Amino acid sequence: MKTARHDEFMQYRLPDTALWTPGPHALTPAVERTIRAYRATYSHRSNDFKSLYSQTVALLREAFHVPAAFTPLIFGHTGSYGWEMVAVNTPPAFRALGLEMGAFSARWAEVFARHERAVDVLRVPWGHGIESHSWHTALRRGYDVALLTHNETATGVMLPVDALCRDARRLAPDMLVAVDGVSIAGAVDLDMGSMRPDYYLWSLQKDFAIPAVGSVMIVSNRALETAESVAKRGYVLDLVEWHARGAGAQTPVTVSDLMLRCLVARLEEMLDEGDARFARHRNLARMQRDWAEKHGLDLLAQPAFYSPTVTTIMMPDSIPATEFIHEAKNLLNVQIAPGYGPMQDTAIRIAAMGSTSESEMERFLAGLSLIFRNWTANPPVTGRFAGVSPAKT
Ligand SMILES: Cc1ncc(COP(=O)(O)O)c(C=O)c1O
């Protein structure tokens, strides 16, 4: 039986299930159209593939302002392999500086340690970023490569990588800078010409809103020269091999033409939206933070490091995050994520990625407020959402 409460909830329910976890993420219209229209019509050694590859690289150069001394490489593996590539393509004697400001930054440093590399880790509590004074102090200690995480997905913390790269060039000009932009690339204005990181890598299932089928890494000539000096690079993760094949619009291993078509569609969609998309991401994240404030909830991230793609909101003791997320999916048709790891039951994470609009986010957050108010007003477990049956609509 439908009730007035049911109708109240249903006005906020999105018509199609929206995956708003910080990756994988709901596809954008352009990506979805590409996948629906796909037919396998040529091999990865054909001229059609080569022109598709070249088109993708040209669009990456345009969208990320990539100068000639840097090369975008496109892989059929995800971002974690990119972490490993940086390790494999730097000399074993290199001293590395890693970060630990959440689970992902910590794991990259761990990857280096597993390769038996000397790695020092700059640690901050979850929710904090890297302050310039500790970065400067670390740089003065002298490292050969630094591993920066542009956006820590576990916490929703964004680092000012522009400034960090600039400082690195000034204080440690010989040090290579590797940046993990997995959960932010595409959502902020990135100018490789001014940042000049030696490696900037990201996965496609985040702001690019493509299924988890690949990743991109933009590498500097300096990174490639360093790779050439490494004796044992293996094959599938060898940057020199990927670069050489890429020069002929080819790849060492089979890379999906569907992935390239999705990348082209998404990059064209991004370029069509232009700089407006950067403002949209900032607005979406601001709306999420305002929602938290309105309900008296804390944010995990410190204000200086708010992310435009991931917001982590701490839940009150009375609301287990996993149950709250379950109700959001059930009633509003939106899948958001729990807090990462140890925060699974105490926090929620909402993405501001892909092509999500401000009006969709507004509608969802209004529905989330209704769930929140019902939760705090009604006795736990039974009867909280009685009379609301979205499954039957
Ligand atoms: C910041 C960050 N780096 C690296 C990864 C690993 O990427 P993938 O799962 O695409 O291998 C993730 C995954 O969520 C991430 O958020």
Side-chain angles (χ1 to χ4, degrees):
M1 189 189 67
K2 289 190 179 169
T3 62
R5 281 184 85 205
H6 174 90
D7 292 344
E8 200 185 359
F9 273 99
M10 290 311 105
Q11 66 180 311
Y12 300 120
R13 183 179 172 81
L14 294 195
D16 299 315
T17 305
L19 180 60
W20 288 354
T21 59
H25 191 271
L27 312 183
T28 66
V31 173
E32 195 157 339
R33 272 196 305 276
T34 305
I35 293 173
R36 282 185 196 283
Y38 178 73
R39 295 194 57 223
T41 51
Y42 49 79
S43 90
H44 64 299
R45 297 300 176 217
S46 64
N47 286 336
D48 283 332
F49 182 95
K50 288 180 191 167
S51 55
L52 179 62
Y53 187 95
S54 304
Q55 186 190 6
T56 316
V57 169
L59 286 167
L60 284 166
R61 283 198 179 277
E62 183 180 348
F64 291 89
H65 312 283
V66 183
F70 292 72
T71 310
L73 298 172
I74 307 158
F75 309 124
H77 53 236
T78 67
S80 308
Y81 291 77
W83 286 343
E84 199 107 19
M85 277 179 130
V86 177
V88 168
N89 289 277
T90 45
F94 259 26
R95 289 150 308 152
L97 171 65
L99 306 182
E100 185 177 332
M101 48 183 207
F104 293 99
S105 43
R107 207 167 297 153
W108 198 4
E110 164 75 17
V111 167
F112 264 67
R114 286 191 190 197
H115 281 274
E116 298 180 346
R117 299 302 169 82
V119 48
D120 283 352
V121 181
L122 193 54
R123 289 188 176 82
V124 293
W126 282 34
H128 291 246
I130 305 300
E131 304 284 351
S132 61
H133 61 84
S134 44
W135 176 237
H136 292 178
T137 307
L139 290 180
R140 289 199 180 93
R141 280 201 294 270
Y143 294 98
D144 301 302
V145 59
L147 315 174
L148 292 178
T149 301
H150 193 167
N151 195 66
E152 174 51 80
T153 324
T155 58
V157 159
M158 176 180 70
L159 291 184
V161 284
D162 262 318
L164 299 180
C165 285
R166 204 178 323 117
D167 293 346
R169 278 201 304 279
R170 188 166 51 87
L171 298 173
D174 295 332
M175 183 186 77
L176 297 178
V177 179
V179 184
D180 168 340
V182 165
S183 59
I184 198 163
V188 289
D189 197 4
L190 284 172
D191 187 330
M192 292 297 146
S194 66
M195 260 173 74
R196 287 189 274 141
D198 294 284
Y199 317 77
Y200 192 96
L201 65 101
W202 71 91
S203 308
L204 299 184
Q205 73 275 18
K206 310 281 182 178
D207 187 54
F208 272 69
I210 294 172
V213 286
S215 59
V216 173
M217 187 189 290
I218 297 170
V219 290
S220 69
N221 284 347
R222 189 165 75 152
L224 292 167
E225 283 154 21
T226 303
E228 279 164 11
S229 74
V230 178
K232 294 180 184 164
R233 302 186 298 269
Y235 178 64
V236 293
L237 300 182
D238 178 4
L239 275 178
V240 179
E241 183 81 37
W242 281 88
H243 182 259
R245 294 300 202 102
Q250 286 280 272
T251 51
V253 303
T254 317
V255 163
S256 156
D257 63 325
L258 173 59
M259 176 187 77
L260 295 181
R261 289 185 211 194
C262 287
L263 248 174
V264 166
R266 181 67 182 119
L267 284 162
E268 284 175 342
E269 191 179 43
M270 284 180 172
L271 291 167
D272 281 349
E273 190 180 357
D275 288 357
R277 76 181 192 278
F278 308 131
R280 178 171 58 79
H281 287 289
R282 281 197 302 275
N283 289 342
L284 292 172
R286 188 179 312 115
M287 289 164 78
Q288 296 163 352
R289 295 195 299 271
D290 288 350
W291 182 88
E293 192 189 345
K294 183 171 123 190
H295 295 286
L297 303 176
D298 290 334
L299 299 165
L300 179 59
Q302 298 289 303
F305 300 103
Y306 286 153
S307 160
T309 54
V310 184
T311 304
T312 304
I313 300 170
M314 305 307 296
M315 297 306 280
D317 291 346
S318 57
I319 306 185
T322 37
E323 286 179 35
F324 188 73
I325 289 164
H326 173 78
E327 291 306 345
K329 170 68 174 44
N330 189 32
L331 300 171
L332 306 175
N333 213 11
V334 177
Q335 181 70 64
I336 57 171
Y340 197 88
M343 298 193 140
Q344 176 144 2
D345 236 3
T346 51
I348 59 172
R349 285 176 306 148
I350 315 177
M353 294 177 174
S355 58
T356 307
S357 67
E358 282 104 333
S359 61
E360 287 171 315
M361 187 57 69
E362 189 179 4
R363 181 167 169 180
F364 167 66
L365 292 173
L368 212 55
S369 291
L370 199 58
I371 297 178
F372 189 85
R373 283 199 298 272
N374 261 272
W375 213 295
T376 39
N378 286 286
V381 188
T382 50
R384 192 177 281 132
F385 298 106
V388 185
S389 53
K392 296 191 185 69
T393 58

